PDB file of all heavy atoms in Angstrom:
ATOM      1  N   PHE A 296     -11.798  -9.357  -3.442  1.00 88.00           N
ATOM      2  CA  PHE A 296     -12.022 -10.584  -2.688  1.00 88.00           C
ATOM      3  C   PHE A 296     -10.672 -11.123  -2.018  1.00 88.00           C
ATOM      4  O   PHE A 296     -10.797 -11.733  -0.939  1.00 88.00           O
ATOM      5  CB  PHE A 296     -12.609 -11.677  -3.550  1.00 88.00           C
ATOM      6  CG  PHE A 296     -13.377 -12.682  -2.834  1.00 88.00           C
ATOM      7  CD1 PHE A 296     -14.683 -12.552  -2.507  1.00 88.00           C
ATOM      8  CD2 PHE A 296     -12.756 -13.824  -2.393  1.00 88.00           C
ATOM      9  CE1 PHE A 296     -15.394 -13.471  -1.740  1.00 88.00           C
ATOM     10  CE2 PHE A 296     -13.429 -14.742  -1.622  1.00 88.00           C
ATOM     11  CZ  PHE A 296     -14.710 -14.586  -1.284  1.00 88.00           C
ATOM     12  N   LEU A 300     -10.648 -12.266   1.714  1.00 86.00           N
ATOM     13  CA  LEU A 300     -10.314 -13.669   1.984  1.00 86.00           C
ATOM     14  C   LEU A 300      -9.111 -13.822   2.900  1.00 86.00           C
ATOM     15  O   LEU A 300      -9.179 -14.564   3.884  1.00 86.00           O
ATOM     16  CB  LEU A 300     -10.043 -14.369   0.636  1.00 86.00           C
ATOM     17  CG  LEU A 300      -9.500 -15.776   0.717  1.00 86.00           C
ATOM     18  CD1 LEU A 300     -10.545 -16.755   1.333  1.00 86.00           C
ATOM     19  CD2 LEU A 300      -9.110 -16.344  -0.626  1.00 86.00           C
ATOM     20  N   VAL A 315      -3.602 -17.500  -2.110  1.00 88.00           N
ATOM     21  CA  VAL A 315      -4.561 -18.549  -2.010  1.00 88.00           C
ATOM     22  C   VAL A 315      -5.585 -18.538  -3.121  1.00 88.00           C
ATOM     23  O   VAL A 315      -5.846 -19.619  -3.697  1.00 88.00           O
ATOM     24  CB  VAL A 315      -5.251 -18.471  -0.573  1.00 88.00           C
ATOM     25  CG1 VAL A 315      -6.471 -19.407  -0.514  1.00 88.00           C
ATOM     26  CG2 VAL A 315      -4.379 -18.717   0.543  1.00 88.00           C
ATOM     27  N   LEU A 316      -6.113 -17.328  -3.470  1.00 88.00           N
ATOM     28  CA  LEU A 316      -7.144 -17.386  -4.487  1.00 88.00           C
ATOM     29  C   LEU A 316      -6.537 -17.764  -5.844  1.00 88.00           C
ATOM     30  O   LEU A 316      -7.232 -18.541  -6.634  1.00 88.00           O
ATOM     31  CB  LEU A 316      -7.755 -15.963  -4.598  1.00 88.00           C
ATOM     32  CG  LEU A 316      -8.890 -15.784  -5.569  1.00 88.00           C
ATOM     33  CD1 LEU A 316     -10.058 -16.713  -5.144  1.00 88.00           C
ATOM     34  CD2 LEU A 316      -9.387 -14.372  -5.728  1.00 88.00           C
ATOM     35  N   LEU A 319      -6.097 -21.535  -5.856  1.00 85.00           N
ATOM     36  CA  LEU A 319      -7.377 -22.144  -5.957  1.00 85.00           C
ATOM     37  C   LEU A 319      -7.933 -22.134  -7.400  1.00 85.00           C
ATOM     38  O   LEU A 319      -8.395 -23.175  -7.912  1.00 85.00           O
ATOM     39  CB  LEU A 319      -8.399 -21.443  -5.025  1.00 85.00           C
ATOM     40  CG  LEU A 319      -8.394 -21.821  -3.561  1.00 85.00           C
ATOM     41  CD1 LEU A 319      -9.378 -21.021  -2.809  1.00 85.00           C
ATOM     42  CD2 LEU A 319      -8.647 -23.310  -3.340  1.00 85.00           C
ATOM     43  N   PHE A 330     -14.493 -24.980 -12.842  1.00 73.00           N
ATOM     44  CA  PHE A 330     -13.526 -24.552 -11.743  1.00 73.00           C
ATOM     45  C   PHE A 330     -14.011 -23.305 -11.106  1.00 73.00           C
ATOM     46  O   PHE A 330     -13.742 -23.115  -9.883  1.00 73.00           O
ATOM     47  CB  PHE A 330     -12.160 -24.350 -12.398  1.00 73.00           C
ATOM     48  CG  PHE A 330     -12.116 -23.295 -13.456  1.00 73.00           C
ATOM     49  CD1 PHE A 330     -11.883 -21.971 -13.201  1.00 73.00           C
ATOM     50  CD2 PHE A 330     -12.252 -23.683 -14.823  1.00 73.00           C
ATOM     51  CE1 PHE A 330     -11.792 -21.030 -14.213  1.00 73.00           C
ATOM     52  CE2 PHE A 330     -12.184 -22.701 -15.812  1.00 73.00           C
ATOM     53  CZ  PHE A 330     -12.009 -21.367 -15.515  1.00 73.00           C
ATOM     54  N   ASP A 331     -14.816 -22.477 -11.761  1.00 74.00           N
ATOM     55  CA  ASP A 331     -15.255 -21.249 -11.080  1.00 74.00           C
ATOM     56  C   ASP A 331     -16.238 -21.675  -9.960  1.00 74.00           C
ATOM     57  O   ASP A 331     -16.225 -21.054  -8.925  1.00 74.00           O
ATOM     58  CB  ASP A 331     -15.985 -20.339 -12.088  1.00 74.00           C
ATOM     59  CG  ASP A 331     -14.979 -19.532 -12.979  1.00 74.00           C
ATOM     60  OD1 ASP A 331     -13.897 -19.326 -12.390  1.00 74.00           O
ATOM     61  OD2 ASP A 331     -15.303 -19.284 -14.083  1.00 74.00           O
ATOM     62  N   ALA A 332     -17.084 -22.713 -10.294  1.00 77.00           N
ATOM     63  CA  ALA A 332     -18.033 -23.082  -9.210  1.00 77.00           C
ATOM     64  C   ALA A 332     -17.270 -23.719  -8.071  1.00 77.00           C
ATOM     65  O   ALA A 332     -17.619 -23.468  -6.887  1.00 77.00           O
ATOM     66  CB  ALA A 332     -18.988 -24.131  -9.841  1.00 77.00           C
ATOM     67  N   LEU A 333     -16.238 -24.518  -8.373  1.00 72.00           N
ATOM     68  CA  LEU A 333     -15.395 -25.137  -7.290  1.00 72.00           C
ATOM     69  C   LEU A 333     -14.764 -24.109  -6.470  1.00 72.00           C
ATOM     70  O   LEU A 333     -14.842 -24.144  -5.203  1.00 72.00           O
ATOM     71  CB  LEU A 333     -14.414 -26.061  -7.942  1.00 72.00           C
ATOM     72  CG  LEU A 333     -13.494 -26.745  -6.946  1.00 72.00           C
ATOM     73  CD1 LEU A 333     -14.214 -27.670  -6.027  1.00 72.00           C
ATOM     74  CD2 LEU A 333     -12.367 -27.503  -7.732  1.00 72.00           C
ATOM     75  N   THR A 334     -14.194 -23.076  -7.060  1.00 72.00           N
ATOM     76  CA  THR A 334     -13.544 -22.011  -6.351  1.00 72.00           C
ATOM     77  C   THR A 334     -14.543 -21.328  -5.486  1.00 72.00           C
ATOM     78  O   THR A 334     -14.333 -20.968  -4.371  1.00 72.00           O
ATOM     79  CB  THR A 334     -12.909 -21.013  -7.342  1.00 72.00           C
ATOM     80  OG1 THR A 334     -11.995 -21.756  -8.157  1.00 72.00           O
ATOM     81  CG2 THR A 334     -12.160 -19.977  -6.603  1.00 72.00           C
ATOM     82  N   GLY A 335     -15.773 -21.078  -6.080  1.00 76.00           N
ATOM     83  CA  GLY A 335     -16.773 -20.348  -5.371  1.00 76.00           C
ATOM     84  C   GLY A 335     -17.239 -21.134  -4.100  1.00 76.00           C
ATOM     85  O   GLY A 335     -17.361 -20.516  -3.021  1.00 76.00           O
ATOM     86  N   LEU A 336     -17.332 -22.455  -4.235  1.00 77.00           N
ATOM     87  CA  LEU A 336     -17.777 -23.240  -3.080  1.00 77.00           C
ATOM     88  C   LEU A 336     -16.718 -23.183  -1.931  1.00 77.00           C
ATOM     89  O   LEU A 336     -17.088 -23.064  -0.782  1.00 77.00           O
ATOM     90  CB  LEU A 336     -17.976 -24.718  -3.518  1.00 77.00           C
ATOM     91  CG  LEU A 336     -19.310 -25.004  -4.357  1.00 77.00           C
ATOM     92  CD1 LEU A 336     -19.233 -26.413  -4.853  1.00 77.00           C
ATOM     93  CD2 LEU A 336     -20.502 -24.714  -3.493  1.00 77.00           C
ATOM     94  N   VAL A 337     -15.462 -23.267  -2.403  1.00 72.00           N
ATOM     95  CA  VAL A 337     -14.417 -23.292  -1.365  1.00 72.00           C
ATOM     96  C   VAL A 337     -14.336 -21.907  -0.755  1.00 72.00           C
ATOM     97  O   VAL A 337     -14.265 -21.789   0.568  1.00 72.00           O
ATOM     98  CB  VAL A 337     -13.040 -23.581  -1.986  1.00 72.00           C
ATOM     99  CG1 VAL A 337     -11.909 -23.379  -0.996  1.00 72.00           C
ATOM    100  CG2 VAL A 337     -13.009 -25.034  -2.551  1.00 72.00           C
ATOM    101  N   LEU A 338     -14.556 -20.898  -1.546  1.00 72.00           N
ATOM    102  CA  LEU A 338     -14.535 -19.522  -0.907  1.00 72.00           C
ATOM    103  C   LEU A 338     -15.752 -19.277   0.023  1.00 72.00           C
ATOM    104  O   LEU A 338     -15.622 -18.620   1.063  1.00 72.00           O
ATOM    105  CB  LEU A 338     -14.521 -18.521  -2.015  1.00 72.00           C
ATOM    106  CG  LEU A 338     -13.253 -18.482  -2.874  1.00 72.00           C
ATOM    107  CD1 LEU A 338     -13.321 -17.474  -3.937  1.00 72.00           C
ATOM    108  CD2 LEU A 338     -12.015 -18.169  -1.974  1.00 72.00           C
ATOM    109  N   LEU A 339     -16.884 -19.863  -0.340  1.00 76.00           N
ATOM    110  CA  LEU A 339     -18.054 -19.730   0.514  1.00 76.00           C
ATOM    111  C   LEU A 339     -17.786 -20.377   1.876  1.00 76.00           C
ATOM    112  O   LEU A 339     -18.140 -19.831   2.904  1.00 76.00           O
ATOM    113  CB  LEU A 339     -19.308 -20.396  -0.172  1.00 76.00           C
ATOM    114  CG  LEU A 339     -20.087 -19.573  -1.165  1.00 76.00           C
ATOM    115  CD1 LEU A 339     -21.132 -20.407  -1.872  1.00 76.00           C
ATOM    116  CD2 LEU A 339     -20.687 -18.347  -0.479  1.00 76.00           C
ATOM    117  N   ALA A 340     -17.190 -21.568   1.769  1.00 73.00           N
ATOM    118  CA  ALA A 340     -16.897 -22.280   3.043  1.00 73.00           C
ATOM    119  C   ALA A 340     -15.903 -21.437   3.876  1.00 73.00           C
ATOM    120  O   ALA A 340     -16.069 -21.376   5.077  1.00 73.00           O
ATOM    121  CB  ALA A 340     -16.265 -23.642   2.717  1.00 73.00           C
ATOM    122  N   LEU A 341     -14.953 -20.823   3.204  1.00 70.00           N
ATOM    123  CA  LEU A 341     -13.972 -20.036   3.941  1.00 70.00           C
ATOM    124  C   LEU A 341     -14.664 -18.768   4.584  1.00 70.00           C
ATOM    125  O   LEU A 341     -14.432 -18.408   5.673  1.00 70.00           O
ATOM    126  CB  LEU A 341     -12.830 -19.598   3.034  1.00 70.00           C
ATOM    127  CG  LEU A 341     -11.767 -20.597   2.695  1.00 70.00           C
ATOM    128  CD1 LEU A 341     -10.903 -20.125   1.596  1.00 70.00           C
ATOM    129  CD2 LEU A 341     -11.007 -20.967   3.940  1.00 70.00           C
ATOM    130  N   VAL A 342     -15.555 -18.130   3.798  1.00 70.00           N
ATOM    131  CA  VAL A 342     -16.177 -16.966   4.285  1.00 70.00           C
ATOM    132  C   VAL A 342     -17.124 -17.264   5.423  1.00 70.00           C
ATOM    133  O   VAL A 342     -17.151 -16.551   6.493  1.00 70.00           O
ATOM    134  CB  VAL A 342     -16.874 -16.202   3.144  1.00 70.00           C
ATOM    135  CG1 VAL A 342     -17.798 -15.054   3.685  1.00 70.00           C
ATOM    136  CG2 VAL A 342     -15.925 -15.643   2.149  1.00 70.00           C
ATOM    137  N   PHE A 343     -17.951 -18.354   5.296  1.00 73.00           N
ATOM    138  CA  PHE A 343     -18.816 -18.632   6.379  1.00 73.00           C
ATOM    139  C   PHE A 343     -18.060 -19.180   7.667  1.00 73.00           C
ATOM    140  O   PHE A 343     -18.477 -18.940   8.786  1.00 73.00           O
ATOM    141  CB  PHE A 343     -19.834 -19.683   5.883  1.00 73.00           C
ATOM    142  CG  PHE A 343     -21.011 -19.080   5.193  1.00 73.00           C
ATOM    143  CD1 PHE A 343     -21.136 -19.411   3.808  1.00 73.00           C
ATOM    144  CD2 PHE A 343     -21.839 -18.162   5.767  1.00 73.00           C
ATOM    145  CE1 PHE A 343     -22.179 -18.912   3.065  1.00 73.00           C
ATOM    146  CE2 PHE A 343     -22.897 -17.662   4.988  1.00 73.00           C
ATOM    147  CZ  PHE A 343     -23.076 -17.966   3.676  1.00 73.00           C
ATOM    148  N   GLY A 344     -17.003 -19.905   7.372  1.00 74.00           N
ATOM    149  CA  GLY A 344     -16.264 -20.503   8.519  1.00 74.00           C
ATOM    150  C   GLY A 344     -15.272 -19.488   9.113  1.00 74.00           C
ATOM    151  O   GLY A 344     -15.069 -19.579  10.324  1.00 74.00           O
ATOM    152  N   PHE A 345     -14.732 -18.562   8.300  1.00 76.00           N
ATOM    153  CA  PHE A 345     -13.679 -17.679   8.857  1.00 76.00           C
ATOM    154  C   PHE A 345     -13.972 -16.271   8.314  1.00 76.00           C
ATOM    155  O   PHE A 345     -13.290 -15.755   7.481  1.00 76.00           O
ATOM    156  CB  PHE A 345     -12.325 -18.140   8.301  1.00 76.00           C
ATOM    157  CG  PHE A 345     -11.999 -19.604   8.604  1.00 76.00           C
ATOM    158  CD1 PHE A 345     -12.131 -20.499   7.624  1.00 76.00           C
ATOM    159  CD2 PHE A 345     -11.560 -19.938   9.855  1.00 76.00           C
ATOM    160  CE1 PHE A 345     -11.896 -21.842   7.883  1.00 76.00           C
ATOM    161  CE2 PHE A 345     -11.287 -21.278  10.168  1.00 76.00           C
ATOM    162  CZ  PHE A 345     -11.438 -22.219   9.081  1.00 76.00           C
TER     163      PHE A 345
END
Side-chain angles (χ1 to χ4, degrees):
F296 201 88
L300 174 64
V315 171
L316 185 61
L319 280 175
F330 59 89
D331 283 331
L333 178 65
T334 306
L336 286 173
V337 174
L338 293 178
L339 277 174
L341 283 170
V342 169
F343 279 116
F345 307 99

